Amino acid sequence: MDYFVELFFSGLTRGSIYALIALGYTMVYGIIGLINFAHGEIYMIGAFTSFVVASVLSIMGLPLLAIIVLAGLAAAIWASAYGYTIEKIAYKPLRNAPRLSPLISAIGMSIFLQNYVLLAQTSNFLPFPELIPDFEFLEPIAHIIGTTDIVILLTTAVSMIALLILIKFTRMGKAMRATAQDKTMARLVGINVDRVISNTFIVGSALAAIGGMLIASHVGQINFYIGFIAGIKAFTAAVLGGIGSIPGAVLGGFILGLTESFATGYVSSDYEDVFAFSLLVLILLFKPAGLLGKSSIEKV
Amino acid sequence: MQQSNTAILEVKGLSMAFGGIQALNQLDLKVHGGEIVALIGPNGAGKTTFFNCVTGIYTPTAGDVLLTPPGQKTTRLNGLKPNVIAKRGMARTFQNIRLFQNMTVLENVMIGRHCRTSSFILGAIFRPPHTRREEQEIVDHSYAILEKVGLADVVNDFSKNLSYGQQRRLEIARALATEPSLLLLDEPAAGMNPQETQELDKLIRRIRDEGHAVLLIEHDMKLVMNLSDRIYVMDYGRRIATGTPQEVSADPAVIKAYLGESDDA
């Protein structure tokens, strides 16, 4: 039973990170109908930024909590700047092009960013400082759920609630929803659609960067390639839940994380991806629009 | 009904070509303050294209679109983005209803209201007092508009669940929320029953009386003849007649465009 609970929490942790990244995919898709394949790289850049900042700050001897918060903030801001710039350079000029063009542009951006970080940071795995200490009061259950897991779960929960409030209750959120539903009409009621799109990239990138920092301190090492795998997994999660749907991305992330965790625990870690992607195929067979996605009926 | 002499909207020599098709050809049109002006013509005459050119969805091939809100400077609208034009004081509705389906009635109107207020991303996140006050004002104002169009009792329903006539009125309410000096209505009476049409007639007059000039495209001739101060008739992208309802309905060119030419003429 303990083993089951342990796997459950490990899956939850993993899933919450997938969900954080998947939110970025799904928000961008919801607004401009683009699969932003460079999103995984944003996550990777977030991890690297927090790595650099955390290393510098720990040399300066700041307390751990300050390091975590500052590194997280720096990662979120820096990755948002990347997300914003990528949209302006690679997607905005192709706004009215056929759908395939921005997709290719996204893949190009992804390859470019990987190689850029490869050149800047070498291909070696860099040891990521252990930012999250072990709390003593958790000692009795540490074999089931570690401190890192708890911090990751709490941070993702807070981020998701903040996102929910942003989208549901603020005018920026309303503008985003309006833009997602009908861009032309949104413009006609005075919404600056370009700014809404920029904001979407900024918010999505910040979430991915936070995910990058959390997972890096959990796993303990990073390199230029981590964004690719994480990106593919998060994309899978977004599709699983119904791409374009925000609750769908969260649900998809958790389902994917749990599936992988149980597959690793009860079968073999070699099969973790097999199970994850088989699940995707199965769900898409029965619900092509994903679990919470709306099947769109094209009116002719 | 007082009509001011300044034209709120002045369109000069407006042309729009799609490839080899001349959808609009040297069109002139004026709407004055306090006026209800109708734009009529057979299907395919270019009426909706005209609206799209004026509101910035299309960039016209040639001509000028000048907007002069009362007491303000004239702006040339050609090539401006729709959201900028909306801020300058023009709003429109669509022939096929385009509400934000998955938002409530109130949210739909509030969205329209946002372009009249300013708020930044940080304000949206931290919500300082003045942002909250502004938000409350937006809610109050939106309620007032919904009251006016008769949707006060469905404010929290999703807009997709409204009846057809209610959806049309909500589109008008959303447009009014942007505080337009000129309101463009694209077939507001389409699909309405006679009673709804009559209410619409009253609503449009009321909107006019409250200081918004109205330009409408409409096929319901009874409504057009009752409501309009002046009518422009289009066919094949050209203006073929203009004048009061009486003048226009007696114009041979108009009769020809609508009924065709008899063989022995």
Side-chain angles (χ1 to χ4, degrees):
Chain A
M1 189 62 204
D2 262 11
Y3 189 54
F4 176 84
V5 176
E6 186 190 327
L7 288 177
F8 178 78
F9 278 112
S10 131
L12 224 49
T13 311
R14 207 189 270 233
S16 64
I17 298 290
Y18 289 155
L20 267 189
I21 312 172
L23 283 169
Y25 275 106
T26 219
M27 283 166 67
V28 166
Y29 185 86
I31 289 216
I32 55 174
L34 163 77
I35 311 287
N36 177 15
F37 276 114
H39 191 60
E41 271 55 56
I42 294 288
Y43 153 92
M44 179 263 294
I45 283 169
F48 268 98
T49 312
S50 61
F51 168 71
V52 172
V53 174
S55 309
V56 171
L57 291 180
S58 54
I59 291 170
M60 287 165 64
L62 262 69
L64 214 47
L65 187 69
I67 294 181
I68 297 178
V69 172
L70 288 176
L73 268 180
I77 292 170
W78 192 236
S80 298
Y82 267 91
Y84 177 86
T85 316
I86 290 172
E87 194 269 326
K88 286 279 179 276
I89 296 175
Y91 307 145
K92 192 163 176 242
L94 298 170
R95 196 68 56 72
N96 298 315
R99 280 177 79 130
L100 211 53
S101 315
L103 199 71
I104 300 297
S105 182
I107 293 171
M109 247 316 155
S110 160
I111 295 171
F112 167 76
L113 287 173
Q114 277 178 29
N115 287 283
Y116 162 69
V117 176
L118 169 67
L119 282 176
Q121 302 281 354
T122 78
S123 64
N124 298 328
F125 272 97
L126 303 173
F128 199 88
E130 205 172 297
L131 290 178
I132 304 162
D134 288 328
F135 297 132
E136 264 179 40
F137 66 91
L138 280 171
E139 200 57 50
I141 54 162
H143 61 290
I144 298 176
I145 175 167
T147 325
T148 354
D149 298 287
I150 290 177
V151 173
I152 289 179
L153 284 174
L154 279 180
T155 318
T156 49
V158 169
S159 311
M160 283 170 195
I161 290 167
L163 179 71
L164 189 78
I165 291 171
L166 180 81
I167 287 179
K168 201 85 206 161
F169 299 110
T170 69
R171 83 178 58 181
M172 188 178 125
K174 270 196 224 85
M176 279 180 175
R177 282 184 285 151
T179 307
Q181 284 174 45
D182 189 337
K183 260 200 277 304
T184 307
M185 199 58 236
R187 280 213 179 88
L188 283 167
V189 294
I191 293 172
N192 187 339
V193 168
D194 290 331
R195 192 189 298 159
V196 170
I197 292 173
S198 292
N199 284 342
T200 309
F201 273 84
I202 288 173
V203 172
S205 303
L207 291 174
I210 292 171
M213 181 186 80
L214 292 174
I215 203 72
S217 81
H218 187 49
V219 175
Q221 54 180 15
I222 53 174
N223 84 339
F224 74 101
Y225 203 59
I226 56 167
F228 179 74
I229 301 293
I232 293 285
K233 289 285 174 61
F235 172 60
T236 307
V239 173
L240 200 68
I243 193 146
S245 152
I246 284 174
V250 176
L251 182 70
F254 281 122
I255 289 179
L256 193 70
L258 288 172
T259 310
E260 284 189 4
S261 177
F262 286 127
T264 311
Y266 288 121
V267 188
S268 151
S269 61
D270 295 337
Y271 282 92
E272 117 187 2
D273 292 351
V274 176
F275 274 88
F277 292 117
S278 308
L279 181 74
L280 176 71
V281 172
L282 269 180
I283 287 185
L284 290 188
L285 272 179
F286 293 106
K287 286 209 76 173
L291 288 172
L292 300 182
K294 282 178 288 280
S295 47
S296 62
I297 302 155
E298 294 265 332
K299 278 184 198 150
V300 191
Chain B
M1 160 191 353
Q2 79 279 34
Q3 259 167 256
S4 64
N5 281 325
T6 49
I8 287 190
L9 178 72
E10 184 170 9
V11 175
K12 288 189 273 194
L14 190 71
S15 297
M16 179 76 203
F18 297 101
I21 297 164
Q22 196 72 30
L24 294 176
N25 201 339
Q26 293 289 320
L27 206 73
D28 295 324
L29 182 147
K30 269 185 187 180
V31 182
H32 301 276
E35 256 191 328
I36 297 176
V37 176
L39 185 59
I40 63 171
N43 287 325
K47 304 180 298 289
T48 299
T49 306
F50 175 80
F51 269 24
N52 286 342
C53 282
V54 169
T55 51
I57 294 178
Y58 300 151
T59 306
T61 338
D64 287 312
V65 181
L66 305 169
L67 186 74
T68 319
Q72 289 177 43
K73 278 193 307 228
T74 304
T75 10
R76 186 167 181 267
L77 301 181
N78 306 42
L80 292 182
K81 284 188 185 156
N83 53 317
V84 178
I85 293 178
K87 279 202 172 68
R88 292 272 190 282
M90 180 145 49
R92 74 173 285 185
T93 65
F94 278 87
Q95 184 178 335
N96 45 339
I97 296 169
R98 287 178 80 164
L99 291 167
F100 301 119
Q101 303 254 321
N102 295 321
M103 290 192 187
T104 65
V105 169
L106 182 63
E107 282 178 331
N108 264 282
V109 178
M110 285 172 71
I111 280 271
R113 190 81 196 126
H114 284 160
C115 89
R116 288 289 157 219
T117 52
S118 57
S119 192
F120 295 103
I121 177 165
L122 289 177
I125 296 168
F126 296 110
R127 302 172 72 75
H130 74 265
T131 307
R132 262 179 249 182
R133 214 174 312 126
E134 205 174 70
E135 203 67 28
Q136 190 55 46
E137 274 166 21
I138 292 175
V139 172
D140 294 344
H141 193 97
S142 303
Y143 268 108
I145 293 172
L146 286 168
E147 190 101 33
K148 190 180 347 184
V149 300
L151 293 174
D153 45 347
V154 290
V155 281
N156 290 319
D157 290 14
F158 280 107
S159 65
K160 61 183 168 197
N161 296 335
L162 297 187
S163 77
Y164 193 75
Q166 285 174 321
Q167 292 196 4
R168 286 232 170 261
R169 274 181 285 154
L170 178 55
E171 265 215 317
I172 295 176
R174 183 180 59 187
L176 284 178
T178 66
E179 294 185 359
S181 42
L182 175 66
L183 179 62
L184 308 184
L185 302 172
D186 195 346
E187 294 198 29
M192 282 190 170
N193 64 35
Q195 196 211 331
E196 285 172 326
T197 308
Q198 204 157 29
E199 281 169 24
L200 180 75
D201 180 299
K202 267 188 233 149
L203 178 62
I204 296 176
R205 282 171 203 276
R206 192 169 163 195
I207 290 169
R208 188 262 322 268
D209 293 341
E210 286 175 4
H212 312 272
V214 178
L215 174 61
L216 76 154
I217 295 175
E218 188 49 68
H219 282 302
D220 184 332
M221 278 310 134
K222 199 170 146 229
L223 181 73
V224 168
M225 293 297 164
N226 275 335
L227 200 57
S228 324
D229 298 314
R230 288 187 300 120
I231 296 177
Y232 287 86
V233 190
M234 285 176 69
D235 198 15
Y236 297 109
R238 291 171 186 280
R239 186 174 95 184
I240 59 170
T242 176
T244 63
Q246 291 73 25
E247 287 165 2
V248 162
S249 53
D251 193 309
V254 177
I255 297 166
K256 192 177 111 188
Y258 270 91
L259 303 176
E261 213 163 354
S262 62
D263 289 339
D264 52 16

